[in-house]
Amino acid sequence: MAKSTDPTPDRVELDDLLEEVGHFGPFQLWQCSLLLLPVIFTAFSNLCYVFTAGDLHYRCLVPECETASETTPYAPEWLRAAVPFGGKPELPAKCDRYQVLPASTGGFVCDDSRFNRSTIERCTEFVYADPSERTILNDFNLTCEENLWKVTLVGTVHSIGQFVSLALSGIISDRFGRRWTLLLCVGVGAVLAIVRSFAGSYPTFISLEFVEAMFGSTSYTTAFILSLELVEPRLRVIVKSIILVAYALAEAILGLLAMTFRNWRTLSIVLFVPGVLSIPLLYTTVESVRWLLTKDRQSDVVNILQRVAKANGRPPLPNSTLDEFYLQQKTKLEAEQRDGGGRKSFFQLVRETCQHRRLLLRIGNCAFCWFTNAMVYYGLTLNSVTLAGDKYSNFIFITLAEIPPSLAINFILNRFGRRKTQCGSLILSGVFCLLALTALKDITWLNVGLFLMSKMAISLSFSTLYIYTAEIFPTNLRQSFISFCSMVGRFGSMLAPQMPLLQALWAPLPMVLFGSVAVLSGILILEFPETTGVTLPNTLE
């Protein structure tokens, strides 16, 4: 009997089919371009509160010397006689003024003789440096030190919403798929952000800030996963770099828009209306083929692969190949279901982990590193608007500083390895933070330069951390430990917005905290093994 000439291979894997339909053709290029939109909207969502809940320059209104109006000058010649000054650079006190003495003559008399400089009074009316700039501070009357916690709470509440979203997005994504999760998060997040712009009170605003963060900050991870699963492994580092650059550029665009639209309500509408308008475009994206395989939906996988082949100008996949692929996937799922009962549960694996002291220390060290990276990364970004000079320009420069390490990460990791890169970037970031406390801080351009270099270093550290964390834990607990460390990291992003409260206690305290914690974490990283070019562990043993 003649031998069969069936060209069907012995085993057909998904990567084989992806190679047949084209690794990176017009279809993948269009899909990846669309998936940059959620990345951009996530950047808007994560840092919008820097400007919507931003602090402002203001001082007491002195009715004896001026009238309240939009044209009242912020710094008239007589101001030093009426209001205390302090800080570096010297600025008028926001809520204090000197006691007014009775005037010996009628009219406005504003000189040293009119004020008792030994007695300070509080005021309730204010003159703003830029009357056109509106944040929740002047809209909801959150002025003076007693209300500072309400302003800083906005960023912390947003981070708590992100914390909740980690669990929420995982449940929705596993149940309904990556694509529907993406559409839900982008659409609902954008709508909530627009509704928030019409908030009439602080409680309403802070409630909407929380629920918006639950949805708006989730789409980045989903878009990231969908993008990586569309391309071959060789191109995944490039795609990751592009996503990181797009995120940094979106942050810079946020700064430019905030500079243009000084009213926080208008800014929110301008930022998030495009999110609603993008839904029809995002609807054309395809579901993750790997997720479809886990749900035994091979027919949907085949339809997507045929669409990819057609768009990339490739011939349709042979029926014999597809039949073999379908049969193998069905057999694999049945085997997993049959053998699932013999596998160890998550809690059994955690119990075994507790018996390995070294692994427990590694988990704690990694969680501390995530906490440090999140706190320093977001802390530097938020603190950039308090630097001397134009706060919008400073914010834009600080966010653009993320681009060089995002582009260079692949070369740096392959050249120096994971451990040296993680350790060096953390220590450098900490040293630059501490240098910003020395006499160098009095030189404006040098102070901003130290901020930029520190932000570049912590951005490189954060990018490395995602890869490094995935490589230092065994496969059967890798996802769980990454999720745990990431959740601990969220506490760092919750703490970062509270830095103004620490600054009120002692001005250098935030930078001392950033610098010392970053240097300590960098030193502790030396306890990690080097994983570059090393076979990753599959089990605890």
Side-chain angles (χ1 to χ4, degrees):
M1 187 168 59
K3 292 183 179 179
S4 173
T5 58
D6 188 355
T8 302
D10 293 335
R11 187 166 186 81
V12 182
E13 299 292 348
L14 178 60
D15 287 336
D16 298 326
L17 298 183
L18 290 173
E19 184 176 355
E20 288 292 323
V21 299
H23 280 310
F24 196 82
F27 184 89
Q28 287 94 336
L29 180 62
W30 172 245
Q31 292 286 305
C32 287
S33 299
L34 285 181
L35 291 172
L36 290 179
L37 291 175
V39 172
I40 293 170
F41 299 138
T42 303
F44 292 166
S45 171
N46 285 351
L47 289 172
C48 180
Y49 69 85
V50 175
F51 300 104
T52 60
D55 196 10
L56 301 173
H57 290 305
Y58 58 93
R59 63 165 176 86
C60 287
L61 175 72
V62 184
E64 294 81 6
C65 299
E66 59 191 344
T67 56
S69 71
E70 292 284 322
T71 58
T72 301
Y74 173 68
E77 294 180 0
W78 48 262
L79 188 60
R80 285 185 177 274
V83 174
F85 273 67
K88 288 185 179 181
E90 276 202 323
L91 294 172
K94 291 184 173 181
C95 302
D96 295 328
R97 50 173 286 190
Y98 294 128
Q99 184 185 45
V100 181
L101 299 174
S104 57
T105 59
F108 287 157
V109 178
C110 299
D111 55 28
D112 289 343
S113 64
R114 188 69 198 275
F115 300 95
N116 178 12
R117 297 172 70 93
S118 62
T119 305
I120 294 177
E121 300 176 336
R122 299 287 281 179
C123 59
T124 55
E125 292 184 276
F126 307 95
V127 175
Y128 291 87
D130 183 1
S132 66
E133 192 172 14
R134 306 290 301 181
T135 71
I136 65 168
L137 184 140
N138 45 4
D139 261 15
F140 300 146
N141 194 26
L142 304 178
T143 51
C144 302
E145 294 83 356
E146 60 267 22
N147 289 314
L148 181 60
W149 68 273
K150 293 183 179 179
V151 178
T152 60
L153 183 63
V154 175
T156 299
V157 165
H158 188 93
S159 295
I160 295 173
Q162 290 178 305
F163 184 86
V164 175
S165 75
L166 288 173
L168 182 67
S169 62
I171 295 172
I172 297 175
S173 180
D174 290 340
R175 177 68 179 84
F176 300 103
R178 317 284 193 255
R179 177 170 168 267
W180 283 109
T181 302
L182 189 72
L183 292 170
L184 175 70
C185 293
V186 172
V188 175
V191 169
L192 287 171
I194 294 170
V195 172
R196 185 184 58 202
S197 69
F198 295 97
S201 65
Y202 178 78
T204 303
F205 175 88
I206 204 74
S207 300
L208 289 169
E209 183 73 32
F210 173 75
V211 292
E212 186 274 326
M214 286 175 54
F215 292 93
S217 61
T218 305
S219 47
Y220 176 92
T221 305
T222 309
F224 184 76
I225 292 172
L226 279 172
S227 297
L228 292 188
E229 290 184 348
L230 275 171
V231 300
E232 61 176 316
R234 182 174 57 88
L235 296 175
R236 286 174 185 168
V237 174
I238 297 175
V239 170
K240 180 183 179 181
S241 294
I242 292 172
I243 290 174
L244 291 172
V245 170
Y247 189 88
L249 289 174
E251 291 176 321
I253 292 170
L254 168 61
L256 285 172
L257 291 174
M259 184 187 297
T260 305
F261 302 98
R262 303 292 182 101
N263 188 311
W264 72 274
R265 298 181 188 273
T266 306
L267 176 64
S268 293
I269 293 172
V270 170
L271 289 174
F272 294 103
V273 163
V276 177
L277 299 179
S278 71
I279 295 300
L281 274 175
L282 293 175
Y283 188 78
T284 64
T285 58
V286 295
E287 182 55 87
S288 163
V289 290
R290 299 182 191 277
W291 178 82
L292 290 171
L293 287 176
T294 64
K295 299 299 180 182
D296 196 18
R297 291 170 57 179
Q298 283 86 351
S299 59
D300 291 330
V301 173
V302 169
N303 290 335
I304 290 174
L305 292 175
Q306 297 291 31
R307 280 180 59 188
V308 176
K310 183 177 180 181
N312 289 344
R314 295 292 186 93
L317 293 171
N319 288 331
S320 58
T321 302
L322 294 175
D323 289 342
E324 181 67 22
F325 173 71
Y326 181 86
L327 179 62
Q328 289 177 5
Q329 292 301 318
K330 195 166 186 64
T331 303
K332 185 187 296 184
L333 280 174
E334 290 173 352
E336 288 177 354
Q337 292 171 359
R338 185 173 58 254
D339 299 338
R343 294 180 180 176
K344 296 178 181 178
S345 70
F346 170 74
F347 294 105
Q348 286 176 315
L349 290 169
V350 170
R351 229 179 358 253
E352 289 184 15
T353 302
C354 294
Q355 299 172 6
H356 298 270
R357 179 175 174 272
R358 189 169 182 82
L359 187 57
L360 280 176
L361 291 175
R362 182 179 296 181
I363 295 168
N365 193 358
C366 186
F368 178 66
C369 188
W370 274 86
F371 172 85
T372 300
N373 276 267
M375 182 182 68
V376 177
Y377 177 88
Y378 286 105
L380 289 175
T381 303
L382 300 179
N383 266 26
S384 65
V385 297
T386 67
L387 295 174
D390 181 62
K391 67 179 181 181
Y392 300 102
S393 300
N394 291 339
F395 179 85
I396 292 169
F397 290 143
I398 290 295
T399 54
L400 290 177
E402 299 175 31
I403 293 179
S406 299
L407 294 174
I409 182 174
N410 191 37
F411 168 77
I412 294 173
L413 287 179
N414 291 333
R415 175 69 177 82
F416 299 102
R418 273 59 161 167
R419 183 168 61 175
K420 288 181 180 178
T421 302
Q422 190 78 73
C423 171
S425 56
L426 276 169
I427 291 177
L428 280 175
S429 181
V431 169
F432 289 137
C433 285
L434 295 175
L435 283 175
L437 297 172
T438 65
L440 299 177
K441 69 178 183 299
D442 297 327
I443 307 173
T444 301
W445 68 268
L446 196 51
N447 191 30
V448 174
L450 289 170
F451 252 75
L452 289 173
M453 290 186 286
S454 185
K455 184 64 182 296
M456 289 176 66
I458 200 64
S459 297
L460 175 61
S461 174
F462 223 157
S463 301
T464 304
L465 188 59
Y466 278 93
I467 300 171
Y468 204 12
T469 306
E471 295 176 345
I472 60 176
F473 294 122
T475 302
N476 56 354
L477 279 174
R478 183 169 295 136
Q479 186 61 48
S480 300
F481 286 161
I482 290 174
S483 298
F484 171 75
C485 292
S486 178
M487 290 176 74
V488 173
R490 291 296 176 189
F491 288 103
S493 62
M494 292 177 198
L495 180 61
Q498 300 301 320
M499 289 303 118
L501 294 179
L502 297 182
Q503 200 168 24
L505 297 175
W506 183 43
L509 187 54
M511 296 302 287
V512 169
L513 184 62
F514 295 156
S516 56
V517 171
V519 170
L520 175 61
S521 183
I523 295 172
L524 291 176
I525 287 297
L526 295 175
E527 288 295 317
F528 285 166
E530 178 56 68
T531 58
T532 305
V534 176
T535 302
L536 301 184
N538 289 320
T539 64
L540 285 172
E541 290 73 16

